[in-house]
Amino acid sequence: MNSSVNDFVSLVVNNHAIDTKDEMIAAVCRNFPMVKDGRALYHTDYFAVVFCYTKNTAFSNVVISLSKLEKYDGIPCFVVVVRRGLDNLVYMINTTFIDKVSHSSQSLRIDNIRGSILGSNIRKQLPEIG
């Protein structure tokens, strides 16, 4: 794994005082050569990230569309949850870490990727091995 992934996670964790999505995006973009893809996703050659905001501990926002996630599933993909007055969270959102797809289309096929990932669809803990 590229060291920029660890540096990114450290930046988010160490800047827990940042409590707005725009401030967090600015901090990350100052430190990494991010390219914006669409409305919400930013990426480098080594990782992709979506930024979300919540006023409390609940996190049920729409995070990303399944078709957009599929595009970046070959590199580590994250969601940064910016929480006012609380520590910010970083979750991996690669398809391996998604429990289900919400709002999926009845036309979902391998050649017609449709659906949305909600915050509540992201696996927050992995099962222990061994």
Side-chain angles (χ1 to χ4, degrees):
M1 181 173 359
N2 184 278
S3 64
S4 65
V5 174
N6 289 331
D7 295 343
F8 159 73
V9 172
S10 294
L11 174 82
V12 172
V13 169
N14 292 331
N15 283 283
H16 54 84
I18 293 176
D19 63 1
T20 71
K21 186 169 85 168
D22 290 338
E23 286 179 85
M24 184 61 76
I25 291 169
V28 170
C29 289
R30 275 192 306 271
N31 288 276
F32 300 94
M34 304 302 290
V35 175
K36 189 173 182 182
D37 184 356
R39 293 182 328 149
L41 187 132
Y42 295 77
H43 69 93
T44 70
D45 290 341
Y46 305 105
F47 66 92
V49 60
V50 176
F51 298 90
C52 291
Y53 174 80
T54 185
K55 293 180 182 177
N56 53 41
T57 57
F59 175 51
S60 59
N61 311 40
V62 171
V63 175
I64 192 169
S65 69
L66 184 58
S67 59
K68 181 71 76 171
L69 181 57
E70 181 193 38
K71 182 176 175 182
Y72 293 96
D73 207 36
I75 59 176
C77 295
F78 301 96
V79 60
V80 171
V81 184
V82 179
R83 305 185 311 165
R84 183 176 300 273
L86 299 167
D87 287 343
N88 299 319
L89 302 172
V90 181
Y91 294 117
M92 287 198 77
I93 58 171
N94 293 79
T95 54
T96 304
F97 301 100
I98 303 301
D99 283 330
K100 68 178 182 176
V101 176
S102 295
H103 312 298
S104 61
S105 166
Q106 291 181 350
S107 303
L108 179 64
R109 298 184 312 273
I110 194 73
D111 62 337
N112 187 36
I113 304 298
R114 300 271 185 221
S116 299
I117 309 300
L118 304 179
S120 58
N121 300 147
I122 300 167
R123 186 169 296 179
K124 308 302 189 288
Q125 290 185 306
L126 296 178
E128 291 188 31
I129 299 174

